[in-house]
């Protein structure tokens, strides 16, 4: 129930401090409350119990009928000891609808939920009263403030006094502390500059959300001019939506928000913009790519409310600025490719207003799906990431693709992207490829040359039950760090184990295997 800097939605219920790069550091405060929660989770009674938490904010499933979803949930839980966590329940009716889904088998099961409304928590009728989270103490506020502004060093003595003063004016609200710290992180580290920021803070700051919005306005006003439209743009996405970075960057470019800077590509500049917003604690990292970069991001609910209000105030994209359903963003059917030489990619979302991008400007996008999947597509030679879905390309086309895209670093072949029984790769294919994923493609045999994928770091195989094994030559790749096998047959998992054993025998202990849901193939059974 405190502000989070990064991570998934399930981490919103504690005042964890995070670094701008997304590394969780420590929990600040709430040690006694944590002990109380542990006692309720592990102690008596045997019957089903509810642990409810009420406090300040910052502290779903595929489409199917509510009845079917409730029935499936009940059946999955029946007879099992379970622990359910539900975050931020607003309406009393939600609890009434959900409580029938949880069987009570007197086996020590537990349900924990958080709410901003104490009336909701009282309905749970738990064995103990709802746990009302307090605000941070002055000392705890100072610890969190220091960790956000100086993640790898201590606060200089000349800033300690004014820093404590600013932290105390945040009134123990973690979200406010994080936002204010984000401002100071990007300001000059001088007492005069910090005093200037401190004077603009409301000395009467409380838990009133309107005060928080005023604090966010302070952070917004400190943004450089070029970052303001990029930040407000997040208000277009639905609440709790995790925005794919490739799509966000493409939309920013299509709207004309990204400025050309020297010889940098627009994608590189846009990524710098995003990282600066993350560093200011305004944007949260949801997930990361294979290389550690940001794969998806989002914003806190309170920050989203501010974006919408500020956009209305500034008449920012007023004609189109409204919440769109999640389904609108789910399938990237919004790119098409023409053969004309210059401007060719046109936004299909309905709220992009300015010119498109050139082929060279799309070199770093994760996805290039076309409406015409594969022999007729001329991909830019400097393309780095490519995902194909339902293109039904022949495997020899993929081999040709490997030679024509010498800079490709990540390749995902998903859901009938390719058809055919055998994939043959040879020397020279995919010389820069670092990440390879096959998901639900009908392949039986995979043949490689003596020197395949010389820079491959991670191999992911999911839902390929007909594949009979991983070529042993893959184990000879010196950069290989992980093989992930899920929902394939056991022969694939066994071949991954064999590769790892061979690596260990040669003194290479860094290769990791990840596997789950692998079954014996029909051919093996016969």
């Amino acid at each position: 129930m405190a502000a989070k800097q990064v991570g998934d939605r399930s981490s919103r219920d504690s005042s964890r401090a995070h670094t701008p790069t997304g590394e969780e550091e420590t929990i600040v405060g709430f040690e006694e409350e944590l002990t109380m929660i542990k006692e309720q989770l592990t102690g008596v009674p045997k019957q089903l119990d509810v642990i409810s938490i009420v406090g300040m904010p910052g502290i779903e499933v595929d489409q199917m009928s509510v009845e079917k979803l409730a029935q499936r949930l009940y059946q999955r839980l029946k007879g099992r000891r379970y622990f359910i966590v539900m975050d931020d329940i607003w309406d009393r009716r939600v609890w009434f609808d959900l409580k029938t889904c949880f069987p009570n088998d007197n086996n020590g099961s537990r349900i924990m939920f958080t709410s901003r409304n104490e009336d909701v928590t009282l309905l749970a009728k738990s064995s103990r009263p709802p746990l009302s989270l307090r605000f941070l103490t002055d000392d705890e506020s100072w610890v969190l403030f220091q960790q956000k502004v100086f993640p790898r060093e201590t606060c200089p003595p000349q800033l300690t006094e004014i820093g404590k003063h600013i932290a105390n004016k945040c009134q123990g609200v973690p979200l406010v502390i994080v936002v204010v710290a984000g401002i100071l992180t990007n300001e000059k580290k001088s007492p005069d500059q910090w005093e200037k920021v401190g004077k603009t803070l409301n000395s009467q700051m409380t838990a009133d959300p309107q005060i928080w919005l005023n604090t966010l306005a302070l952070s917004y006003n400190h943004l450089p001019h070029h970052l303001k439209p990029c930040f407000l743009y997040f208000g277009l996405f639905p609440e709790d939506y995790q925005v794919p970075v490739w799509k966000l960057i493409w939309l920013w470019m299509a709207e004309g928000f990204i400025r050309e800077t020297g010889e940098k590509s627009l994608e590189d500049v846009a990524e710098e913009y995003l990282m600066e917003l993350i560093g200011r604690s305004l944007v949260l990292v949801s997930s990361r790519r294979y290389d550690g970069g940001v794969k998806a991001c989002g914003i806190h609910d309170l920050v989203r409310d501010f974006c919408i209000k500020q956009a209305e105030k500034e008449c920012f994209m007023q004609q189109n600025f409204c919440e769109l359903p999640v389904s609108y963003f789910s399938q990237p059917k919004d790119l098409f490719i023409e053969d004309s030489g210059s401007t060719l990619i046109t936004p299909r979302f309905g709220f992009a207003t300015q010119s498109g991008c050139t082929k060279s400007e799309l070199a770093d996008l994760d996805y290039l799906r076309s409406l015409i999947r594969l022999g007729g597509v001329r991909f830019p030679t400097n393309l780095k990431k490519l995902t194909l879905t339902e293109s039904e390309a022949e495997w020899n086309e993929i081999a040709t693709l490997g030679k024509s895209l010498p800079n490709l670093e990540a390749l995902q072949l998903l859901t009938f992207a390719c058809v055919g029984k055998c994939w043959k790769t040879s020397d020279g294919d995919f010389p820069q490829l670092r990440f390879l994923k096959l998901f639900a493609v009908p392949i039986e045999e995979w043949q490689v040359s003596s020197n395949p994928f010389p820079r491959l770091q991670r191999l992911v195989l999911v839902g390929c039950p007909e594949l009979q094994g991983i070529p042993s030559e893959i184990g000879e790749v010196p950069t290989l760090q992980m093989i992930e096998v899920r929902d394939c047959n056991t022969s694939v998992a066994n071949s991954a184990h064999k590769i790892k054993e061979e690596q260990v025998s040669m003194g290479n202990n860094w290769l990791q295997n990840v596997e789950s849901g692998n079954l014996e193939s029909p051919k093996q059974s016969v």
Side-chain angles (χ1 to χ4, degrees):
M1 310 248 300
K4 69 170 183 176
Q5 163 67 12
V6 296
D8 58 27
R9 282 171 282 180
S10 64
S11 64
R12 276 186 288 183
D13 56 347
S14 67
S15 60
R16 294 180 182 271
H18 299 268
T19 67
T21 58
E23 298 173 352
E24 184 175 292
E25 293 181 339
T26 185
I27 298 177
V28 177
F30 302 135
E31 289 85 0
E32 294 181 5
E33 290 81 356
L34 184 60
T35 300
M36 294 171 61
I37 292 173
K38 287 181 178 179
E39 290 176 356
Q40 278 191 271
L41 289 174
T42 59
V44 294
K46 285 286 188 179
Q47 63 267 28
L48 174 64
D49 197 13
V50 179
I51 300 95
S52 54
I53 303 173
V54 62
M56 52 196 171
I59 315 195
E60 283 164 352
V61 179
D62 294 338
Q63 294 295 324
M64 65 173 67
S65 70
V66 175
E67 293 78 12
K68 287 185 178 180
L69 182 60
Q71 183 181 16
R72 176 177 294 185
L73 179 59
Y74 185 91
Q75 291 173 345
R76 290 287 183 91
L77 298 178
K78 185 63 178 174
R80 297 184 178 184
R81 186 183 184 190
Y82 57 85
F83 174 35
I84 303 293
V85 179
M86 295 179 291
D87 188 25
D88 210 4
I89 298 181
W90 278 83
D91 198 320
R92 295 160 40 141
R93 293 171 297 179
V94 173
W95 173 246
F96 280 125
D97 292 339
L98 285 173
K99 68 179 183 179
T100 58
C101 301
F102 306 122
N104 185 4
D105 294 319
N106 293 320
N107 57 3
S109 295
R110 295 290 186 267
I111 298 172
M112 179 189 295
F113 71 78
T114 68
S115 177
R116 307 182 194 188
N117 186 349
E118 189 172 12
D119 291 340
V120 176
T121 64
L122 292 173
L123 292 174
K125 298 180 179 179
S126 60
S127 61
R128 299 186 188 182
L131 176 61
S132 296
L133 290 187
R134 57 178 173 79
F135 294 101
L136 296 180
T137 65
D138 288 349
D139 289 341
E140 291 169 343
S141 297
W142 175 235
V143 170
L144 179 58
F145 181 85
Q146 285 190 98
Q147 290 177 345
K148 296 304 298 179
V149 182
F150 305 100
R152 295 179 179 84
E153 55 188 3
T154 57
C155 179
Q158 65 270 23
L159 295 176
T160 300
E161 183 177 352
I162 181 61
K164 286 185 176 181
H165 177 67
I166 293 174
N168 292 345
K169 290 178 71 174
C170 295
Q171 295 294 302
V173 181
L175 175 61
V176 177
I177 295 172
V178 169
V179 170
V180 173
I183 297 172
L184 296 176
T185 299
N186 295 277
E187 296 287 346
K188 183 180 179 182
K189 302 294 191 299
S190 68
D192 291 342
Q193 186 63 28
W194 278 33
E195 286 182 8
K196 184 184 300 183
V197 174
K199 288 179 180 179
T200 61
L201 290 175
N202 191 331
S203 61
Q204 303 299 321
M205 190 176 296
T206 65
D208 184 353
Q210 184 58 45
I211 300 296
W212 296 15
L213 291 177
N214 293 340
T215 304
L216 289 170
L218 176 63
S219 183
Y220 175 75
N221 291 334
H222 277 76
L223 283 177
H225 180 72
H226 63 275
L227 290 182
K228 289 183 176 180
C230 296
F231 172 60
L232 293 183
Y233 203 78
F234 277 91
L236 277 170
F237 298 97
E239 186 173 311
D240 290 331
Y241 181 68
Q242 308 306 306
V243 188
V245 168
W246 68 265
K247 181 172 288 186
L248 179 68
I249 288 177
W250 183 78
L251 289 171
W252 279 353
M253 292 192 303
E255 298 293 352
F257 296 160
I258 310 302
R259 302 173 178 177
E260 291 188 7
T261 304
E263 298 181 354
K264 294 181 180 178
S265 68
L266 291 184
E267 293 89 348
D268 289 338
V269 177
E271 189 168 359
E272 289 178 0
Y273 286 9
L274 176 60
M275 295 310 297
E276 188 167 355
L277 290 174
I278 292 172
R280 290 174 179 264
S281 302
L282 293 173
V283 176
L284 315 174
V285 177
S286 304
S287 60
R288 294 189 174 273
R289 300 193 307 257
Y290 68 97
D291 58 358
V294 180
K295 183 177 182 180
C297 59
I299 55 176
H300 191 280
D301 295 348
L302 187 62
V303 176
R304 180 177 176 274
D305 291 342
F306 171 82
C307 287
I308 294 175
K309 288 181 171 59
Q310 190 67 25
E312 293 174 352
K313 181 179 178 180
E314 298 184 10
C315 297
F316 174 75
M317 299 187 70
Q318 193 64 38
Q319 181 177 357
N320 300 302
F321 205 94
C322 60
E323 178 178 339
L324 298 174
V326 175
S327 60
Y328 196 83
F329 300 94
S330 59
Q331 294 296 332
K333 299 175 180 176
D334 37 48
L335 304 181
F336 66 89
I337 299 178
E338 296 176 354
D339 289 332
S340 55
S342 57
T343 306
L344 59 118
I345 303 296
T346 303
R348 299 286 292 276
F349 282 97
F351 51 77
T353 57
Q354 304 199 23
S355 62
C357 319
T358 64
K359 284 184 178 179
S360 62
E361 291 170 344
L362 289 166
D364 292 326
L365 291 183
D366 285 312
Y367 289 80
L368 249 181
R369 301 183 182 182
S370 66
L371 302 181
I372 53 179
R373 287 304 205 209
L374 184 60
V377 179
R378 295 199 301 269
F379 293 104
T381 57
N382 58 344
L383 190 69
K384 291 186 178 181
K385 306 178 183 74
L386 175 64
T387 296
L388 299 177
T389 300
E390 297 181 359
S391 54
E392 296 186 354
E394 298 289 341
W395 284 110
N396 60 352
E397 293 184 82
I398 302 300
T400 302
L401 199 65
K403 292 181 174 63
S404 61
L405 298 177
N407 296 304
L408 196 66
E409 295 181 358
L411 175 63
Q412 297 190 93
L413 304 176
L414 314 178
T415 315
F416 287 93
C418 305
V419 293
K421 296 183 178 181
C422 182
W423 182 20
K424 297 181 179 180
T425 58
S426 58
D427 291 341
D429 293 354
F430 304 103
Q432 299 295 327
L433 197 68
R434 302 173 187 271
F435 176 78
L436 174 62
K437 179 175 182 178
L438 274 61
F439 175 86
V441 291
I443 179 176
E444 295 184 12
E445 185 179 4
W446 185 8
Q447 299 179 3
V448 301
S449 63
S450 58
N451 187 27
F453 314 109
R455 295 182 180 270
L456 188 66
Q457 296 177 357
R458 182 177 176 187
L459 171 64
V460 179
L461 302 171
V462 181
C464 302
E466 298 177 353
L467 183 63
Q468 296 304 301
I470 302 173
S472 60
E473 290 83 357
I474 294 293
E476 299 174 6
V477 178
T479 56
L480 189 63
Q481 298 176 6
M482 177 179 290
I483 299 178
E484 184 174 340
V485 180
R486 302 185 187 276
D487 299 321
C488 296
N489 69 60
T490 54
S491 63
V492 177
N494 291 338
S495 61
H497 279 293
K498 185 176 181 180
I499 289 175
K500 181 175 181 179
E501 291 173 358
E502 292 175 350
Q503 289 291 311
V504 171
S505 67
M506 293 185 292
N508 301 330
N509 299 315
W510 56 79
L511 180 61
Q512 299 180 13
N513 284 357
V514 177
E515 61 179 84
S516 66
N518 300 307
L519 300 174
E520 188 176 4
S521 68
K523 289 186 176 182
Q524 289 175 317
S525 299
V526 173

